[in-house]
Amino acid sequence: MEPDPSTSWYPVARSDDLPLRHVFQGELLGRELAIWRADDGFVNVWENRCLHRGVRLSIGLNEGRELRCQYHGWRYANRTAGCTYIPAHPADAPARVICNVTFPAVERYGLVWTCDSPGGVAPGDGPPVLAALEAAAPLGLRNLPVNAEPSTVLDELAAYAFVPTGLLAQRTAHDRPVAGSATLGTEELGAEVSVTDRGHSWIELTARMGEAASRVVLFVQPVDSARSVVRGVLAGGADGADGADGAGVHSPERDQMAVLRHHHRELSRLRDAIEDRAARRPSPVPMTPRLQQVRLRPAESALEHDRRDGGRRTGLRVSVARRWDTADAIVAFELRQLDGLLPTPRPGAHIDVELPNGLVRQYSLVNGPGETDRYLIGVKREPASRGGSACLHDTVIVGDVLAISEPRNNFPLRRDSFRTILIAGGIGITPLLSMAQALHWSGHTYELHYFAQSAGHVAFTEILDSLGPDVTTHLGLDPSGTGSVLTRLLSDPEDGGHVYVCGPGPMLDATRNTATTAGWPDHAVHFEYFTNATEIDSSSSFEVELARSALTLPVPAGSSIMDVLRANGVAVASSCEQGACGTCLTAVIAGEPDHQDVYLNASERRAGDRMAICVSRSRSPRLVLDI
Amino acid sequence: MAVSDTATMGTPSCTDPVALHEWYPISALVEITPGLVHRTQLLGGAISYTRTPGGSRPVVWPSGGEASGAEVDGLAVDHQLPVRVKFGYVWTTLGRPEHELFDIAECDEADRRIQNGGSIMVATSAPRAIENFLDMGHFPYVHTGILGAEPRTEVLEYDVEVTDEEILATRCLFFQPQAALSASDGQMTEYVYRVPHPYCVMLYKSVPTDASRMDVIALFCQPMTEERVRAHNFLCMVDAVNSDTALKRFQQLIFGQDKPILENQSPRRLPLDPRAETPIRADKSSISYRRWLSAKGLTYAVIPATAPSPTPAPTPAPTRSS
């Protein structure tokens, strides 16, 4: 019976086919694969086409943490294959569903294994575990492409004849060129070879000659219906000490070469015979693997900015893998998903964390590019904590399970700037740290200025150290000292330059004012408030008309627009629900918004065409929203 | 599946009426040696062409047994296919088009430098080549330092108008380090793109030395098969300084950068299903182009939207045994 290809593991490359920063082109069951190792060692096996325009990713750039497509520079993250940046639209974060097709990957016996299971979920127990290859360091033979049907190739490999390793080694030790000789065949040497084990895509053979014995396992990679690659692994390496009662002779590299040559010559000879027979049979129809359709619904945009997701949802479950004090009163948490992969983090993104006490709080991700197996957050204990930071600090320990939302990005990073200035105050370092790492690892010029009370208040020093000279810390400055540094940093507004700032409210206000005074345009100054410190005035009452839903609803004093919409069954996206994060921004068609958020800047407020419906209200009796 | 080129020699494999009843370029007129047989392929079928002894009239016919380079008297050829000479190219058809070829008004201006910038075979479908020509987002990555450069990668909002006759994309702005051979500095360049034919596209871009005029560069695609195209690069420039060779070389440098990208796209035929690939706002013109082809009912060299999921066309492996 044919094995189910979606749960069967096959080798598709050798581990040493993946040198530093290379992308290897592989193929399995008619499907092309782009195989690359990230700098953290993870092996990625992806469908070999960029989901934008179908260009082969094997001609892309392995940047160590991300793979960049050659055609339009789209970046895909290590491990998740999530798209992290679309250069044609620098201001927008790519939608979360923009994700390449991944396949599971395991390295074993010097080979990279995968199975035809799009989505990357590893089925079953993984690649075969073979006692012969577990015993001692196995030696990978040269792989051999064979133009014949994989099942036939497997059957015909039973006829493979070779000489036990120990004998080859002995003979070379005596300077008799056995393996290099074209005339001396296996038959003449008289080895007895038998099939000692076999699986659905591999065969184990043992050669015996007198006292000497050695085992080889031949794996068949089904490339297509009429093409195979035979990947051989010799038990016990070149010294033959594989535990199969062989006479091992320890000898240097020359033996290894002799052994490899012997197998290559014998396998090539067998290959020619297999191909001759295959050429006389009718060629089978090539395989037609199904291409995944993109996961966008029709008319949906690939850019997050254009999309509207549902409300605040904490649907992911993560466990606290590590927590440590990263600075005075700041605890870092490393969160790992219980199973599967976390959605791809992007610079500037935050998650909602549902705390054991029921509160929901937002924390920026500190992750650098390609760090996709965990989320890293930094939590500062707020003296006036309403129970959020105190709960995390005091009660959450390693092993605890938390519910979090998918990352949301209302503070996206442009990468089309000749000069990027990142300014952080205190715990405001967290989103800027992910931005700095993204810019650093993709070779963009930037500067990060980190204002903190003292050296003891500087968080994530190990990451800061990895960034090198582009980081400047400014310690122990009072407000006027901070002000003069800001004035100096922002003194030279540059065409095409961008400023990103995050920190305590007063420092953020000071930075924005300094930038405006210096002549930076509003659109070049990006900021993120952690909280909205302004007192919300919800005393007004008015009517909202929902243009697309054809609904008109009264908003009474004391209720927000968002409350009213939800009470009437209209789903709206939100996160902080206090006018700080910008998730609920909604287009205004008519009426005059009464802005009470801290997300929009002065010119955006004046334009009056978007509003944060969680806190902002209406100055006019009627407000028409594009919902 | 793709039909192999050799299997269809002499008989056109194309049954798509939209593609059949259309005009196609097969060669620049000046590149045809009078009295000798030239051979090429159109819509999967082999065709031959020549010029009559005086050199005046091109003659095109479905290939018989004649060899390329053999002598032939064009006047004596039976079964001649319809022919037009326009923009310096010979155009023919395997069907009976009810329409004439589109016009390019700039060709009538006296000081225009008009020439074939090169006829280059590419292992992809004609619509993939057209779509690449319509695309600005790849400039910084594929034409680095010439038509684009990082970090100036943004594709600004532009307008697209679609009629039955053509697609027109206007207000297309992109930062270019060296927009043309005659450009000395980086500049925001404005483009207009026009698609008046399923397999022909042209762009109009401001002349670096005279902002009031537009250079015209076109790609006229000859679909040899569904997955193989000969791209004729048409140049109609305002440039009083550079030689013809220099202008040609610049165009070939640009197209030479596109070719390997096009040949690494999978599938080769253009998928018309909107969910087959991932469009973004910058792809507005290509989204319109795919819809426009769908609306015409074109099936040749595309994967129609209703077809089952496409399969990538893997590069055929060399067959050692045959």
Side-chain angles (χ1 to χ4, degrees):
Chain A
M1 199 183 78
E2 282 293 300
D4 175 1
S6 68
T7 56
S8 305
W9 291 79
Y10 301 103
V12 287
R14 288 169 62 121
S15 288
D16 58 14
D17 285 331
L18 311 179
L20 185 71
R21 304 288 174 97
H22 178 63
V23 188
F24 177 81
Q25 181 175 325
E27 208 174 344
L28 180 67
L29 299 164
R31 191 194 291 277
E32 272 193 28
L33 303 169
I35 305 171
W36 63 284
R37 190 190 300 276
D39 286 2
D40 68 2
F42 187 83
V43 174
N44 291 279
V45 179
W46 295 356
E47 181 145 65
N48 193 19
R49 52 191 299 272
C50 174
L51 42 77
H52 177 218
R53 285 292 171 76
V55 167
R56 285 193 174 102
L57 291 171
S58 54
I59 65 166
L61 246 62
N62 172 355
E63 291 195 343
R65 291 160 174 255
E66 294 178 317
L67 185 67
R68 200 183 85 176
C69 177
Q70 281 287 32
Y71 197 7
H72 295 94
W74 288 28
R75 292 175 168 280
Y76 296 98
N78 174 32
R79 201 173 277 107
T80 60
C83 179
T84 58
Y85 188 62
I86 297 177
H89 298 299
D92 299 290
R96 280 192 302 276
V97 293
I98 307 301
C99 189
N100 258 310
V101 181
T102 61
F103 297 88
V106 170
E107 283 182 274
R108 185 170 291 170
Y109 310 134
L111 299 170
V112 176
W113 298 74
T114 191
C115 46
D116 191 34
S117 159
V121 180
D125 305 327
V129 176
L130 303 174
L133 303 181
E134 294 289 321
L139 176 69
L141 305 181
R142 187 165 173 186
N143 49 288
L144 204 73
V146 184
N147 283 314
E149 305 88 318
S151 55
T152 312
V153 171
L154 184 64
D155 291 342
E156 300 216 30
L157 284 175
Y160 181 49
F162 61 102
V163 171
T165 306
L167 283 178
L168 290 166
Q170 268 176 354
R171 283 172 177 268
T172 37
H174 294 116
D175 279 327
R176 291 174 58 185
V178 173
S181 154
T183 52
L184 198 51
T186 310
E187 298 84 6
E188 291 163 68
L189 289 163
E192 242 175 72
V193 183
S194 55
V195 175
T196 43
D197 201 357
R198 98 180 255 176
H200 74 83
S201 64
W202 55 271
I203 187 165
E204 183 194 293
L205 299 130
T206 303
R208 291 176 187 279
M209 223 175 126
E211 290 297 294
S214 56
R215 285 180 284 182
V216 71
V217 182
L218 302 174
F219 299 100
V220 178
Q221 170 190 355
V223 173
D224 205 331
S225 55
R227 291 184 293 140
S228 316
V229 174
V230 175
R231 298 182 180 274
V233 181
L234 181 64
D239 61 5
D242 73 338
D245 62 288
V249 173
H250 196 77
S251 38
E253 285 160 25
R254 198 167 50 156
D255 283 356
Q256 178 167 323
M257 191 55 80
V259 171
L260 288 174
R261 276 207 188 114
H262 168 71
H263 283 282
H264 185 62
R265 193 190 59 194
E266 296 303 320
L267 276 171
S268 299
R269 191 181 287 188
L270 181 57
R271 184 252 305 268
D272 292 346
I274 296 172
E275 287 189 343
D276 278 351
R277 285 189 285 274
R280 278 182 244 123
R281 292 190 295 271
S283 199
V285 177
M287 291 180 176
T288 52
R290 228 183 128 69
L291 288 190
Q292 288 292 93
Q293 289 207 314
V294 295
R295 281 183 279 165
L296 287 178
R297 289 184 289 274
E300 219 175 12
S301 168
L303 304 167
E304 192 160 90
H305 186 79
D306 299 340
R307 296 160 51 86
R308 292 198 66 85
D309 290 328
R312 170 147 97 167
R313 277 193 300 247
T314 46
L316 298 175
R317 285 161 66 78
V318 290
S319 72
V320 177
R322 196 156 78 97
R323 64 164 278 174
W324 70 100
D325 296 327
T326 178
D328 280 2
I330 301 178
V331 175
F333 291 90
E334 184 184 302
L335 311 174
R336 289 187 184 257
Q337 189 161 19
L338 297 178
D339 53 358
L341 288 175
L342 291 166
T344 312
R346 291 155 180 140
H350 72 266
I351 52 171
D352 297 335
V353 179
E354 193 179 323
L355 302 173
N357 61 12
L359 289 172
V360 176
R361 289 288 178 267
Q362 289 72 49
Y363 296 100
S364 294
L365 297 179
V366 181
N367 294 48
E371 284 175 5
T372 40
D373 54 345
R374 58 190 180 272
Y375 287 160
L376 192 56
I377 59 173
V379 179
K380 183 184 178 198
R381 179 192 284 276
E382 297 296 341
S385 171
R386 287 179 288 159
S389 60
C391 176
L392 275 165
H393 273 243
D394 299 337
T395 67
V396 174
I397 57 168
V398 169
D400 280 0
V401 173
L402 297 173
I404 62 168
S405 70
E406 298 201 320
R408 216 176 251 118
N409 200 346
N410 300 316
F411 193 30
L413 172 69
R414 298 182 71 108
R415 305 189 203 184
D416 62 338
S417 169
F418 287 105
R419 186 177 176 208
T420 303
I421 306 175
L422 308 175
I423 297 172
I427 189 63
I429 188 66
T430 52
L432 298 175
L433 213 42
S434 70
M435 292 184 179
Q437 293 177 87
L439 294 169
H440 177 84
W441 293 108
S442 57
H444 285 80
T445 53
Y446 74 98
E447 48 198 275
L448 170 61
H449 296 276
Y450 184 4
F451 293 81
Q453 280 176 45
S454 72
H457 288 83
V458 173
F460 298 107
T461 45
E462 66 287 359
I463 300 177
L464 292 167
D465 291 345
S466 74
L467 296 175
D470 298 322
V471 180
T472 312
T473 45
H474 305 272
L475 301 178
L477 297 176
D478 61 7
S480 82
T482 303
S484 54
V485 173
L486 289 174
T487 307
R488 176 169 56 78
L489 294 178
L490 301 173
S491 62
D492 183 20
E494 204 171 314
D495 198 23
H498 285 268
V499 179
Y500 294 80
V501 54
C502 185
M507 185 207 160
L508 234 149
D509 295 340
T511 310
R512 291 173 60 191
N513 291 335
T514 307
T516 307
T517 310
W520 289 85
D522 273 354
H523 68 80
V525 182
H526 313 261
F527 48 87
E528 185 169 69
Y529 283 88
F530 280 143
T531 54
N532 182 358
T534 52
E535 187 100 2
I536 306 299
D537 175 2
S538 60
S539 61
S540 60
S541 57
F542 54 94
E543 240 180 32
V544 281
E545 187 184 326
L546 310 181
R548 278 192 265 169
S549 321
L551 263 180
T552 303
L553 302 166
V555 182
S559 294
S560 69
I561 299 177
M562 183 176 281
D563 294 339
V564 170
L565 296 186
R566 287 191 176 153
N568 286 279
V570 180
V572 283
S574 71
S575 177
C576 78
E577 301 189 2
Q578 53 166 308
C581 75
T583 303
C584 67
L585 278 187
T586 303
V588 179
I589 296 170
E592 188 190 347
D594 171 18
H595 296 291
Q596 304 201 38
D597 64 287
V598 285
Y599 182 78
L600 297 175
N601 65 33
S603 57
E604 288 166 336
R605 282 174 167 233
R606 274 195 303 278
D609 56 355
R610 289 192 301 161
M611 66 184 291
I613 57 169
C614 62
V615 292
S616 298
R617 306 180 69 81
S618 179
R619 289 185 200 285
S620 51
R622 199 167 136 272
L623 203 56
V624 184
L625 301 179
D626 186 17
I627 291 181
Chain B
M1 286 307 298
V3 282
S4 85
D5 291 346
T6 45
T8 55
M9 278 295 223
T11 45
S13 61
C14 174
T15 53
D16 172 10
V18 182
L20 272 178
H21 302 305
E22 190 54 85
W23 294 102
Y24 296 105
I26 54 164
S27 173
L29 183 66
V30 295
E31 291 166 18
I32 304 173
T33 315
L36 294 188
V37 172
H38 298 252
R39 289 178 62 124
T40 186
Q41 248 185 318
L42 183 63
L43 301 176
I47 56 170
S48 299
Y49 56 96
T50 190
R51 282 202 282 172
T52 50
S56 54
R57 193 167 70 84
V59 177
V60 185
W61 69 98
S63 295
E66 68 280 353
S68 181
E71 287 186 13
V72 65
D73 175 7
L75 294 170
V77 169
D78 295 331
H79 307 300
Q80 294 186 13
L81 293 170
V83 165
R84 297 285 182 278
V85 176
K86 198 159 183 178
F87 316 124
Y89 294 91
V90 177
W91 300 71
T92 190
T93 179
L94 302 182
R96 288 176 302 281
E98 286 171 7
H99 55 280
E100 277 304 317
L101 268 171
F102 53 88
D103 289 310
I104 302 175
E106 285 74 7
C107 292
D108 300 332
E109 296 170 6
D111 63 342
R112 286 278 166 173
R113 303 271 298 279
I114 295 176
Q115 62 172 328
N116 177 27
S119 299
I120 298 162
M121 219 279 298
V122 188
T124 192
S125 65
R128 284 280 194 196
I130 300 294
E131 194 170 86
N132 175 68
F133 192 92
L134 284 171
D135 178 81
M136 292 184 285
H138 73 287
F139 288 167
Y141 299 96
V142 178
H143 309 295
T144 314
I146 306 171
L147 301 184
E150 286 192 276
R152 303 284 293 269
T153 56
E154 185 164 22
V155 176
L156 298 165
E157 202 78 31
Y158 57 89
D159 300 322
V160 180
E161 266 174 76
V162 184
T163 61
D164 287 351
E165 287 71 39
E166 64 179 27
I167 300 170
L168 199 65
T170 52
R171 256 182 356 105
C172 306
L173 282 165
F174 206 84
F175 176 83
Q176 301 202 317
Q178 192 198 352
L181 196 54
S182 55
S184 49
D185 266 325
Q187 56 181 343
M188 284 306 284
T189 310
E190 183 166 358
Y191 282 71
V192 169
Y193 291 98
R194 185 181 155 213
V195 187
H197 177 297
Y199 302 149
C200 294
V201 59
M202 62 214 60
L203 65 82
Y204 300 77
K205 69 198 271 190
S206 31
V207 174
T209 53
D210 180 356
S212 70
R213 305 186 65 189
M214 307 279 252
D215 279 335
V216 185
I217 298 170
L219 200 65
F220 301 144
C221 288
Q222 170 194 344
M224 298 175 71
T225 67
E226 289 203 90
E227 303 194 345
R228 186 169 293 219
V229 64
R230 204 148 84 111
H232 303 280
N233 288 260
F234 169 72
L235 303 176
C236 174
M237 321 284 278
V238 179
D239 185 326
V241 179
N242 291 294
S243 68
D244 279 358
T245 308
L247 293 175
K248 238 183 219 199
R249 222 171 245 169
F250 184 75
Q251 184 59 25
Q252 290 183 4
L253 167 71
I254 300 297
F255 196 75
Q257 293 172 332
D258 287 316
K259 185 173 147 86
I261 295 286
L262 289 169
E263 294 185 339
N264 276 293
Q265 257 176 309
S266 163
R268 286 179 177 163
R269 287 178 295 152
L270 185 70
L272 299 185
D273 184 333
R275 292 183 62 197
E277 293 178 351
T278 311
I280 53 171
R281 284 202 302 277
D283 298 326
K284 208 160 147 183
S285 52
S286 86
I287 297 166
S288 304
Y289 175 59
R290 292 183 189 200
R291 278 201 203 122
W292 189 70
L293 295 182
S294 274
K296 283 184 180 296
L298 184 88
T299 60
Y300 194 79
V302 298
I303 299 167
T306 49
S309 183
T311 49
T315 316
T319 41
R320 282 165 33 92
S321 45
S322 57

